[in-house]
Amino acid sequence: MDWFYIKGILILSGINLMAVLGLSLLTGFTGLFSFGHAGFMAIGAYTAAYLGVKMGLPLTVALLAGGFSAGLVSLFIGKLTLKLKGDYFCIATLGFGEAIRLILDNVQTFGGARGWPGIPIRVDLWNVALVNVVGIALLVNLVNSRHGRNMIAVREEELAAKTIGIDTFRYKMISLFISAVYAGVAGGLVGYYTGFLQPKMFSLNKSTELTIIVIFGGIGSISGSVLGALLLTALPEILRAFALWRLVVYGAAVIFIMISRPEGLMGGKEITWKGIASLLQRGLRLHPAAKSQAGAGAQASVGDRGGDRDGNGSASGSGSGDRAAQSIKPSF
Amino acid sequence: MGILEVRNLTKTFGGLVAVGDVSFAVKRGSISGLIGPNGAGKTTVFNLITGVYKVTSGEIVFDGRPIHNLEPHVIANMGITRTFQNIRLFKRLSVYNNILTACHRNARYSIADAVLRLRGFKAEERRMREDADALMEVMGLTRWRNSVAHSLPYGVQRRLEIARALAVKPKLLLLDEPAAGMNPDETQQLMSLICRIREEFNCTVLVIEHRMDLIMGICENIIVLNFGRKLTEGSPGEIQTDPRVIEAYLGEGAKIGA
Ligand SMILES: Nc1ncnc2c1ncn2[C@@H]1O[C@H](COP(=O)(O)OP(=O)(O)OP(=O)(O)O)[C@@H](O)[C@H]1O
Ligand SMILES: [Mg+2]
């Protein structure tokens, strides 16, 4: 395996990761299943390619515009279906994804089913990595805010979320919009990496693959989605040597993980700096004695989702000297 | 005028009249009770007040404003929150995160502020965390801070649900069978907790309960439902001796123990 080959796999993983991050917000944090995210990728891909090739816009603008147009379309779908009970949305996204593909098959301006060759190759490892770093940072910030917590509340218990004043419809729309923007940007990257777009690149298979990665990585875990995207994009490529058998092995690997860890790779936990630091500390202390303990240490690197990232939560209660806290003592 | 006024409230499910032509008022600052045999329509009344169900006819006025058929989250933000008969916590979240989530209204920062960590994000987030910690302290939940909600003992889950409802700073708190599944000792403590909540949080409480010791012990006014209709209304003394209530509950000749 030479560097060129590895680089290719990394870029593909990065493109997938961008779409998976968006879906992770929708499925992992908000609890909505979509089987049409390939459709949002397609919208982003064709828009970005059109703006770059036909109108000469720079890559960043084209990618953002692609993401934004996917987001706009998602708002339309959400408006129609998110007020209804959960399953309608899922089915609508499935129909939407296929509809987009069929439309693109028949629009000759973009080459129809034969595809659209000759898109300039502008994506390399560095800008894919940059897009993902920004994507992850923004998502981590969102998830660790009141808005992210409101989305999680929708996932956990929608009725209770409403009765504590959360506009659940609005948060579903926001989550859908952001996830579609991510998928759209990912789609834009596809075109500028392969230099070629074809509607069948964005089939139901693609949507399903994204959902599998989110569940594989673990619902409600960004680090899980990252690991999932890297592993599950790389795996089929690495297995290419086995030709015929690779998809069987791929399927078996996914099934094996889901049976042994039904809550997904990360099971709702996150890898945090604090966790890694304490793991390293432990590792140093234990080093001469027992290597076998390192396995146990790996658990420690996993921080509790939504814990105090700033670490000031536990100290603050007493500091505020709340009037009520002093006059009422905890009972039973 | 009461903080809550229910006028000729009716809710039907197909042919079934779950609540029929019920009117009552809840006095500001009071602890009131809503009682009745199983299937009398008590929970349905709560679902109508909180907007979970749309009313078939009649009106509900809160703080002088009609609220029937508003969205549940709008009603919650106007100042009515509740607990559920069959507990509905954010099961997989910690006690702390259950409460912190409900504190969302104590901050104003936008999504852009959150994503880019702009403006007041840090300060507002810190204030929310302080609020959540204070509330946990008040409700005696601090020792369960990091426990996952569904792993808690039953009584603590009920208490957490009350804490979560209080985090929204309600003017009217609706409790649906808060003592269900509690032993007499826990029930006793729950009673004093409800009384202290009224004082400390300055809110009105309306409570559904089958445990007569709790109802008779803390309520100033009690509304009795039977088969979706209002049977009567009155002080604990009046309700306890009302033959119609006794009959509705236990059949003729029985007596409600206090
Ligand atoms: N969503 C619904 N669809 C159909 N029927 C309903 C619905 N909700 C309540 N009911 C019916 O309305 C009637 C009143 O139910 P409700 O839950 O309000 O009773 P309750 O007084 O709370 O009883 P309990 O003490 O058992 O909790 C019952 O006959 C019930 O079956
Ligand atoms: Mg009930």
Side-chain angles (χ1 to χ4, degrees):
Chain A
M1 276 203 274
D2 55 8
W3 170 237
F4 182 76
Y5 182 60
I6 295 173
K7 201 170 80 171
I9 293 179
L10 285 175
I11 293 175
L12 282 177
S13 304
I15 293 174
N16 256 350
L17 173 55
M18 193 59 195
V20 166
L21 286 172
L23 195 60
S24 184
L25 182 70
L26 186 72
T27 303
F29 289 92
T30 321
L32 291 168
F33 282 84
S34 160
F35 288 94
H37 261 51
F40 296 125
M41 287 182 78
I43 293 173
Y46 280 84
T47 309
Y50 181 83
L51 293 178
V53 175
K54 304 259 156 99
M55 299 178 66
L57 293 178
L59 181 64
T60 322
V61 179
L63 287 180
L64 284 175
F68 196 69
S69 37
L72 281 184
V73 174
S74 81
L75 288 182
F76 181 70
I77 294 172
K79 186 94 188 156
L80 290 178
T81 59
L82 281 179
K83 279 246 161 92
L84 307 170
K85 290 261 182 279
D87 304 345
Y88 286 93
F89 172 73
C90 186
I91 293 165
T93 56
L94 201 151
F96 156 76
E98 289 301 279
I100 290 291
R101 190 175 57 80
L102 288 173
I103 291 168
L104 288 172
D105 265 344
N106 291 295
V107 176
Q108 296 310 321
T109 340
F110 301 132
R114 275 172 293 113
W116 179 358
I119 299 164
I121 293 171
R122 293 178 183 163
V123 163
D124 55 31
L125 189 53
W126 301 117
N127 50 25
V128 167
L130 183 67
V131 167
N132 276 292
V133 167
V134 173
I136 291 172
L138 297 183
L139 200 58
V140 168
N141 283 353
L142 175 64
V143 164
N144 290 293
S145 75
R146 74 186 176 105
H147 303 291
R149 288 190 294 266
N150 286 356
M151 289 172 190
I152 295 171
V154 172
R155 178 194 75 192
E156 287 293 307
E157 184 62 72
E158 189 173 350
L159 185 58
K162 286 181 184 171
T163 58
I164 57 169
I166 296 171
D167 186 346
T168 54
F169 173 70
R170 178 165 171 260
Y171 277 97
K172 286 182 194 174
M173 289 287 275
I174 293 168
S175 178
L176 175 61
F177 176 79
I178 295 173
S179 84
V181 170
Y182 274 58
V185 171
L189 292 171
V190 171
Y192 287 104
Y193 172 60
T194 57
F196 175 72
L197 283 177
Q198 200 177 17
K200 75 172 183 204
M201 295 161 107
F202 307 102
S203 64
L204 180 58
N205 277 345
K206 187 74 200 176
S207 298
T208 315
E209 181 194 345
L210 298 176
T211 298
I212 287 176
I213 294 175
V214 171
I215 295 172
F216 175 90
I219 290 284
S221 168
I222 295 173
S223 13
S225 294
V226 175
L227 283 180
L230 294 178
L231 284 177
L232 290 192
T233 315
L235 198 59
E237 295 302 324
I238 292 165
L239 291 174
R240 227 173 251 286
F242 299 89
L244 247 182
W245 286 99
R246 76 190 177 94
L247 287 178
V248 177
V249 177
Y250 174 87
V254 170
I255 290 171
F256 173 74
I257 289 281
M258 294 322 292
I259 289 175
S260 56
R261 278 188 75 83
E263 71 280 33
L265 222 48
M266 297 297 296
K269 303 284 172 75
E270 295 285 9
I271 298 171
T272 60
W273 292 121
K274 229 158 83 181
I276 292 169
S278 81
L279 173 68
L280 286 179
Q281 259 177 2
R282 266 222 227 178
L284 287 178
R285 238 182 295 136
L286 290 173
H287 189 255
K291 273 237 164 73
S292 62
Q293 296 253 5
Q299 300 283 333
S301 76
V302 164
D304 205 346
R305 134 112 275 100
D308 304 297
R309 283 160 45 77
D310 46 11
N312 64 5
S314 50
S316 50
S318 50
S320 72
D322 191 282
R323 172 186 55 83
Q326 288 166 355
S327 52
I328 293 189
K329 289 211 185 59
S331 61
F332 62 99
Chain B
M1 202 178 79
I3 186 168
L4 182 77
E5 305 215 359
V6 172
R7 297 184 196 132
N8 308 104
L9 188 63
T10 298
K11 176 68 185 179
T12 57
F13 295 106
L16 177 87
V17 181
V19 173
D21 200 29
V22 168
S23 302
F24 63 88
V26 175
K27 215 175 99 211
R28 192 181 298 276
S30 69
I31 296 178
S32 303
L34 186 58
I35 65 170
N38 289 108
K42 306 178 295 296
T43 300
T44 305
V45 168
F46 272 19
N47 283 334
L48 292 167
I49 297 173
T50 52
V52 175
Y53 292 161
K54 303 289 165 229
V55 311
T56 305
S57 67
E59 47 185 25
I60 304 169
V61 178
F62 174 65
D63 246 351
R65 282 181 291 179
I67 58 163
H68 46 281
N69 296 343
L70 293 180
E71 291 282 319
H73 71 268
V74 176
I75 295 174
N77 290 331
M78 285 171 80
I80 304 181
T81 59
R82 68 177 291 183
T83 64
F84 293 89
Q85 185 170 350
N86 44 348
I87 306 174
R88 287 180 186 268
L89 290 168
F90 304 132
K91 290 188 197 60
R92 287 178 291 182
L93 304 190
S94 67
V95 167
Y96 180 65
N97 277 324
N98 265 274
I99 296 180
L100 185 62
T101 303
C103 289
H104 69 113
R105 298 253 308 152
N106 303 0
R108 295 256 63 98
Y109 63 79
S110 69
I111 291 185
D113 296 336
V115 164
L116 302 171
R117 293 289 191 252
L118 293 178
R119 277 197 301 184
F121 175 83
K122 269 261 165 64
E124 288 196 40
E125 189 75 7
R126 192 175 329 111
R127 211 181 56 218
M128 283 168 80
R129 287 170 185 275
E130 284 170 7
D131 288 345
D133 277 309
L135 189 56
M136 237 171 6
E137 191 71 38
V138 171
M139 296 296 290
L141 291 165
T142 309
R143 59 177 274 230
W144 283 283
R145 189 179 203 276
N146 296 316
S147 309
V148 178
H150 72 73
S151 72
L152 296 170
Y154 204 65
V156 182
Q157 291 196 21
R158 290 229 175 260
R159 199 143 34 104
L160 173 57
E161 216 189 11
I162 298 175
R164 188 182 63 185
L166 286 172
V168 190
K169 301 188 171 148
K171 293 179 210 151
L172 174 64
L173 177 64
L174 308 178
L175 304 174
D176 197 345
E177 303 200 16
M182 286 187 177
N183 62 37
D185 203 36
E186 284 176 319
T187 309
Q188 201 61 41
Q189 283 161 330
L190 176 68
M191 286 165 68
S192 51
L193 183 71
I194 293 173
C195 292
R196 281 179 286 162
I197 283 171
R198 182 217 345 222
E199 303 302 324
E200 298 295 335
F201 292 86
N202 206 3
C203 68
T204 310
V205 181
L206 178 61
V207 54
I208 294 176
E209 206 22 271
H210 283 296
R211 306 280 287 259
M212 286 307 145
D213 47 348
L214 183 142
I215 289 288
M216 299 303 165
I218 61 173
C219 294
E220 291 143 37
N221 189 42
I222 299 164
I223 299 129
V224 188
L225 295 184
N226 195 22
F227 294 116
R229 306 272 160 182
K230 186 166 110 174
L231 196 61
T232 182
E233 182 175 356
S235 68
E238 288 161 4
I239 297 300
Q240 260 170 309
T241 51
D242 191 323
R244 285 173 303 170
V245 178
I246 296 165
E247 191 190 329
Y249 259 89
L250 301 164
E252 215 145 350
K255 187 180 182 305
I256 299 176

mmCIF file of all heavy atoms in Angstrom, chain B residues 11-14 16-19 35-47 53 85 176-177 208 210 225 228, ligand 1:
data_model
loop_
_atom_site.group_PDB
_atom_site.id
_atom_site.type_symbol
_atom_site.label_atom_id
_atom_site.label_comp_id
_atom_site.label_asym_id
_atom_site.label_seq_id
_atom_site.Cartn_x
_atom_site.Cartn_y
_atom_site.Cartn_z
ATOM 1 N N LYS B 11 -64.090 16.765 26.723
ATOM 2 C CA LYS B 11 -63.201 16.050 25.805
ATOM 3 C C LYS B 11 -63.801 14.690 25.514
ATOM 4 O O LYS B 11 -64.093 13.919 26.433
ATOM 5 C CB LYS B 11 -61.812 15.859 26.451
ATOM 6 C CG LYS B 11 -60.851 15.046 25.612
ATOM 7 C CD LYS B 11 -60.449 15.782 24.345
ATOM 8 C CE LYS B 11 -59.574 14.938 23.436
ATOM 9 N NZ LYS B 11 -59.228 15.670 22.208
ATOM 10 N N THR B 12 -64.015 14.412 24.245
ATOM 11 C CA THR B 12 -64.540 13.092 23.889
ATOM 12 C C THR B 12 -63.529 12.360 23.027
ATOM 13 O O THR B 12 -62.776 12.965 22.250
ATOM 14 C CB THR B 12 -65.858 13.215 23.101
ATOM 15 O OG1 THR B 12 -65.624 14.018 21.938
ATOM 16 C CG2 THR B 12 -66.949 13.863 23.933
ATOM 17 N N PHE B 13 -63.478 11.054 23.208
ATOM 18 C CA PHE B 13 -62.686 10.185 22.330
ATOM 19 C C PHE B 13 -63.687 9.306 21.593
ATOM 20 O O PHE B 13 -64.214 8.368 22.178
ATOM 21 C CB PHE B 13 -61.734 9.322 23.143
ATOM 22 C CG PHE B 13 -60.678 10.109 23.860
ATOM 23 C CD1 PHE B 13 -60.753 10.302 25.229
ATOM 24 C CD2 PHE B 13 -59.599 10.649 23.171
ATOM 25 C CE1 PHE B 13 -59.771 11.016 25.899
ATOM 26 C CE2 PHE B 13 -58.619 11.369 23.834
ATOM 27 C CZ PHE B 13 -58.702 11.557 25.190
ATOM 28 N N GLY B 14 -63.956 9.607 20.339
ATOM 29 C CA GLY B 14 -65.009 8.872 19.647
ATOM 30 C C GLY B 14 -66.308 9.103 20.405
ATOM 31 O O GLY B 14 -66.723 10.230 20.620
ATOM 32 N N LEU B 16 -66.740 8.133 23.559
ATOM 33 C CA LEU B 16 -66.481 8.161 24.994
ATOM 34 C C LEU B 16 -66.278 9.593 25.497
ATOM 35 O O LEU B 16 -65.433 10.323 24.990
ATOM 36 C CB LEU B 16 -65.231 7.334 25.300
ATOM 37 C CG LEU B 16 -64.794 7.328 26.771
ATOM 38 C CD1 LEU B 16 -65.512 6.241 27.542
ATOM 39 C CD2 LEU B 16 -63.292 7.178 26.879
ATOM 40 N N VAL B 17 -67.074 9.975 26.483
ATOM 41 C CA VAL B 17 -66.888 11.295 27.080
ATOM 42 C C VAL B 17 -65.903 11.148 28.240
ATOM 43 O O VAL B 17 -66.260 10.707 29.322
ATOM 44 C CB VAL B 17 -68.217 11.878 27.581
ATOM 45 C CG1 VAL B 17 -67.995 13.267 28.163
ATOM 46 C CG2 VAL B 17 -69.225 11.918 26.452
ATOM 47 N N ALA B 18 -64.644 11.476 27.988
ATOM 48 C CA ALA B 18 -63.628 11.322 29.029
ATOM 49 C C ALA B 18 -63.774 12.431 30.072
ATOM 50 O O ALA B 18 -63.591 12.204 31.265
ATOM 51 C CB ALA B 18 -62.234 11.346 28.411
ATOM 52 N N VAL B 19 -64.072 13.648 29.580
ATOM 53 C CA VAL B 19 -64.321 14.773 30.474
ATOM 54 C C VAL B 19 -65.565 15.479 29.939
ATOM 55 O O VAL B 19 -65.616 15.813 28.755
ATOM 56 C CB VAL B 19 -63.132 15.760 30.489
ATOM 57 C CG1 VAL B 19 -63.481 17.003 31.301
ATOM 58 C CG2 VAL B 19 -61.886 15.096 31.062
ATOM 59 N N ILE B 35 -59.437 14.610 42.495
ATOM 60 C CA ILE B 35 -59.542 13.188 42.802
ATOM 61 C C ILE B 35 -60.727 12.568 42.070
ATOM 62 O O ILE B 35 -61.534 13.271 41.462
ATOM 63 C CB ILE B 35 -59.677 12.926 44.325
ATOM 64 C CG1 ILE B 35 -60.989 13.500 44.876
ATOM 65 C CG2 ILE B 35 -58.499 13.527 45.076
ATOM 66 C CD1 ILE B 35 -61.286 13.068 46.306
ATOM 67 N N GLY B 36 -60.776 11.254 42.151
ATOM 68 C CA GLY B 36 -61.844 10.517 41.490
ATOM 69 C C GLY B 36 -61.393 9.096 41.252
ATOM 70 O O GLY B 36 -60.194 8.833 41.222
ATOM 71 N N PRO B 37 -62.356 8.195 41.063
ATOM 72 C CA PRO B 37 -61.994 6.792 40.839
ATOM 73 C C PRO B 37 -61.209 6.611 39.534
ATOM 74 O O PRO B 37 -61.138 7.533 38.723
ATOM 75 C CB PRO B 37 -63.349 6.088 40.745
ATOM 76 C CG PRO B 37 -64.356 7.057 41.265
ATOM 77 C CD PRO B 37 -63.796 8.419 41.069
ATOM 78 N N ASN B 38 -60.681 5.424 39.304
ATOM 79 C CA ASN B 38 -59.935 5.148 38.076
ATOM 80 C C ASN B 38 -60.811 5.427 36.851
ATOM 81 O O ASN B 38 -61.977 5.067 36.830
ATOM 82 C CB ASN B 38 -59.496 3.683 38.030
ATOM 83 C CG ASN B 38 -58.397 3.398 39.046
ATOM 84 O OD1 ASN B 38 -58.638 2.735 40.043
ATOM 85 N ND2 ASN B 38 -57.229 3.935 38.806
ATOM 86 N N GLY B 39 -60.205 6.090 35.871
ATOM 87 C CA GLY B 39 -60.932 6.372 34.631
ATOM 88 C C GLY B 39 -61.898 7.541 34.740
ATOM 89 O O GLY B 39 -62.701 7.775 33.843
ATOM 90 N N ALA B 40 -61.806 8.319 35.816
ATOM 91 C CA ALA B 40 -62.737 9.430 36.024
ATOM 92 C C ALA B 40 -62.439 10.597 35.091
ATOM 93 O O ALA B 40 -63.286 11.464 34.888
ATOM 94 C CB ALA B 40 -62.681 9.897 37.471
ATOM 95 N N GLY B 41 -61.236 10.649 34.534
ATOM 96 C CA GLY B 41 -60.897 11.729 33.612
ATOM 97 C C GLY B 41 -59.883 12.723 34.170
ATOM 98 O O GLY B 41 -59.666 13.793 33.595
ATOM 99 N N LYS B 42 -59.239 12.374 35.269
ATOM 100 C CA LYS B 42 -58.297 13.297 35.920
ATOM 101 C C LYS B 42 -57.095 13.597 35.035
ATOM 102 O O LYS B 42 -56.753 14.766 34.780
ATOM 103 C CB LYS B 42 -57.814 12.698 37.262
ATOM 104 C CG LYS B 42 -58.948 12.292 38.191
ATOM 105 C CD LYS B 42 -58.431 11.678 39.475
ATOM 106 C CE LYS B 42 -57.694 10.363 39.312
ATOM 107 N NZ LYS B 42 -58.527 9.261 38.797
ATOM 108 N N THR B 43 -56.451 12.538 34.560
ATOM 109 C CA THR B 43 -55.275 12.742 33.705
ATOM 110 C C THR B 43 -55.656 13.471 32.422
ATOM 111 O O THR B 43 -54.903 14.323 31.927
ATOM 112 C CB THR B 43 -54.614 11.384 33.385
ATOM 113 O OG1 THR B 43 -54.210 10.779 34.615
ATOM 114 C CG2 THR B 43 -53.409 11.559 32.491
ATOM 115 N N THR B 44 -56.846 13.161 31.926
ATOM 116 C CA THR B 44 -57.308 13.848 30.714
ATOM 117 C C THR B 44 -57.416 15.357 30.959
ATOM 118 O O THR B 44 -57.048 16.155 30.091
ATOM 119 C CB THR B 44 -58.662 13.274 30.258
ATOM 120 O OG1 THR B 44 -58.526 11.861 30.098
ATOM 121 C CG2 THR B 44 -59.110 13.887 28.947
ATOM 122 N N VAL B 45 -57.886 15.750 32.143
ATOM 123 C CA VAL B 45 -57.948 17.175 32.468
ATOM 124 C C VAL B 45 -56.548 17.793 32.420
ATOM 125 O O VAL B 45 -56.337 18.859 31.830
ATOM 126 C CB VAL B 45 -58.590 17.393 33.862
ATOM 127 C CG1 VAL B 45 -58.395 18.830 34.319
ATOM 128 C CG2 VAL B 45 -60.068 17.055 33.828
ATOM 129 N N PHE B 46 -55.559 17.102 32.988
ATOM 130 C CA PHE B 46 -54.173 17.603 32.922
ATOM 131 C C PHE B 46 -53.704 17.706 31.471
ATOM 132 O O PHE B 46 -53.059 18.673 31.076
ATOM 133 C CB PHE B 46 -53.237 16.660 33.690
ATOM 134 C CG PHE B 46 -53.109 16.997 35.153
ATOM 135 C CD1 PHE B 46 -54.057 17.782 35.802
ATOM 136 C CD2 PHE B 46 -52.013 16.543 35.887
ATOM 137 C CE1 PHE B 46 -53.934 18.083 37.147
ATOM 138 C CE2 PHE B 46 -51.878 16.847 37.239
ATOM 139 C CZ PHE B 46 -52.838 17.613 37.868
ATOM 140 N N ASN B 47 -54.020 16.682 30.682
ATOM 141 C CA ASN B 47 -53.594 16.710 29.276
ATOM 142 C C ASN B 47 -54.244 17.858 28.512
ATOM 143 O O ASN B 47 -53.649 18.406 27.584
ATOM 144 C CB ASN B 47 -53.926 15.375 28.605
ATOM 145 C CG ASN B 47 -52.943 14.278 28.991
ATOM 146 O OD1 ASN B 47 -51.788 14.571 29.334
ATOM 147 N ND2 ASN B 47 -53.373 13.042 28.960
ATOM 148 N N TYR B 53 -53.684 17.332 24.763
ATOM 149 C CA TYR B 53 -54.890 17.069 23.977
ATOM 150 C C TYR B 53 -55.535 18.404 23.607
ATOM 151 O O TYR B 53 -55.469 19.359 24.376
ATOM 152 C CB TYR B 53 -55.922 16.281 24.782
ATOM 153 C CG TYR B 53 -55.563 14.856 25.130
ATOM 154 C CD1 TYR B 53 -56.226 14.206 26.169
ATOM 155 C CD2 TYR B 53 -54.588 14.160 24.429
ATOM 156 C CE1 TYR B 53 -55.922 12.893 26.506
ATOM 157 C CE2 TYR B 53 -54.274 12.855 24.754
ATOM 158 C CZ TYR B 53 -54.943 12.218 25.807
ATOM 159 O OH TYR B 53 -54.639 10.937 26.138
ATOM 160 N N GLN B 85 -48.181 10.617 35.174
ATOM 161 C CA GLN B 85 -48.584 9.457 35.967
ATOM 162 C C GLN B 85 -47.603 8.302 35.746
ATOM 163 O O GLN B 85 -47.114 7.704 36.695
ATOM 164 C CB GLN B 85 -49.998 9.046 35.546
ATOM 165 C CG GLN B 85 -50.583 7.922 36.370
ATOM 166 C CD GLN B 85 -52.073 7.739 36.070
ATOM 167 O OE1 GLN B 85 -52.698 8.561 35.391
ATOM 168 N NE2 GLN B 85 -52.643 6.677 36.573
ATOM 169 N N ASP B 176 -49.275 14.584 38.702
ATOM 170 C CA ASP B 176 -50.182 13.464 38.441
ATOM 171 C C ASP B 176 -49.733 12.244 39.235
ATOM 172 O O ASP B 176 -48.770 11.578 38.872
ATOM 173 C CB ASP B 176 -50.224 13.161 36.939
ATOM 174 C CG ASP B 176 -51.427 12.314 36.550
ATOM 175 O OD1 ASP B 176 -52.063 11.732 37.456
ATOM 176 O OD2 ASP B 176 -51.734 12.238 35.341
ATOM 177 N N GLU B 177 -50.431 11.968 40.310
ATOM 178 C CA GLU B 177 -50.141 10.848 41.207
ATOM 179 C C GLU B 177 -48.671 10.784 41.624
ATOM 180 O O GLU B 177 -47.993 9.783 41.383
ATOM 181 C CB GLU B 177 -50.581 9.526 40.557
ATOM 182 C CG GLU B 177 -52.062 9.560 40.198
ATOM 183 C CD GLU B 177 -52.684 8.168 40.012
ATOM 184 O OE1 GLU B 177 -52.069 7.189 40.440
ATOM 185 O OE2 GLU B 177 -53.774 8.100 39.441
ATOM 186 N N ILE B 208 -53.154 15.439 41.453
ATOM 187 C CA ILE B 208 -54.029 14.267 41.336
ATOM 188 C C ILE B 208 -53.441 13.201 42.251
ATOM 189 O O ILE B 208 -52.235 12.957 42.221
ATOM 190 C CB ILE B 208 -54.018 13.714 39.894
ATOM 191 C CG1 ILE B 208 -54.638 14.707 38.921
ATOM 192 C CG2 ILE B 208 -54.752 12.379 39.838
ATOM 193 C CD1 ILE B 208 -54.558 14.256 37.466
ATOM 194 N N HIS B 210 -54.478 9.308 44.491
ATOM 195 C CA HIS B 210 -55.421 8.330 45.052
ATOM 196 C C HIS B 210 -55.216 8.188 46.562
ATOM 197 O O HIS B 210 -56.067 7.669 47.257
ATOM 198 C CB HIS B 210 -55.245 6.968 44.376
ATOM 199 C CG HIS B 210 -55.854 6.897 43.012
ATOM 200 N ND1 HIS B 210 -57.199 7.011 42.793
ATOM 201 C CD2 HIS B 210 -55.288 6.753 41.784
ATOM 202 C CE1 HIS B 210 -57.446 6.924 41.497
ATOM 203 N NE2 HIS B 210 -56.297 6.779 40.860
ATOM 204 N N LEU B 225 -63.989 14.224 40.550
ATOM 205 C CA LEU B 225 -64.535 13.818 39.255
ATOM 206 C C LEU B 225 -65.054 12.385 39.363
ATOM 207 O O LEU B 225 -64.520 11.569 40.097
ATOM 208 C CB LEU B 225 -63.449 13.859 38.166
ATOM 209 C CG LEU B 225 -62.835 15.194 37.775
ATOM 210 C CD1 LEU B 225 -61.867 14.970 36.611
ATOM 211 C CD2 LEU B 225 -63.903 16.189 37.370
ATOM 212 N N GLY B 228 -66.062 11.307 34.305
ATOM 213 C CA GLY B 228 -65.853 12.479 33.464
ATOM 214 C C GLY B 228 -66.627 13.726 33.894
ATOM 215 O O GLY B 228 -66.442 14.790 33.325
HETATM 216 N N1 LIG C 1 -55.983 9.073 24.237
HETATM 217 C C1 LIG C 1 -57.114 8.460 24.615
HETATM 218 N N2 LIG C 1 -57.842 7.774 23.704
HETATM 219 C C2 LIG C 1 -58.989 7.155 24.069
HETATM 220 N N3 LIG C 1 -59.474 7.133 25.316
HETATM 221 C C3 LIG C 1 -58.791 7.792 26.259
HETATM 222 C C4 LIG C 1 -57.578 8.472 25.973
HETATM 223 N N4 LIG C 1 -57.102 9.043 27.114
HETATM 224 C C5 LIG C 1 -57.986 8.708 28.061
HETATM 225 N N5 LIG C 1 -58.995 7.958 27.573
HETATM 226 C C6 LIG C 1 -60.145 7.449 28.313
HETATM 227 O O1 LIG C 1 -60.681 8.506 29.055
HETATM 228 C C7 LIG C 1 -61.125 8.055 30.321
HETATM 229 C C8 LIG C 1 -60.447 8.877 31.417
HETATM 230 O O2 LIG C 1 -59.092 8.547 31.450
HETATM 231 P P1 LIG C 1 -58.049 9.249 32.422
HETATM 232 O O3 LIG C 1 -56.713 8.696 32.107
HETATM 233 O O4 LIG C 1 -58.228 10.706 32.336
HETATM 234 O O5 LIG C 1 -58.530 8.727 33.834
HETATM 235 P P2 LIG C 1 -57.901 9.002 35.258
HETATM 236 O O6 LIG C 1 -58.949 9.671 36.071
HETATM 237 O O7 LIG C 1 -56.597 9.666 35.152
HETATM 238 O O8 LIG C 1 -57.731 7.511 35.796
HETATM 239 P P3 LIG C 1 -56.541 6.865 36.687
HETATM 240 O O9 LIG C 1 -56.864 7.179 38.083
HETATM 241 O O10 LIG C 1 -56.661 5.415 36.369
HETATM 242 O O11 LIG C 1 -55.277 7.456 36.227
HETATM 243 C C9 LIG C 1 -60.786 6.578 30.401
HETATM 244 O O12 LIG C 1 -61.941 5.840 30.086
HETATM 245 C C10 LIG C 1 -59.759 6.406 29.340
HETATM 246 O O13 LIG C 1 -59.780 5.115 28.804
#
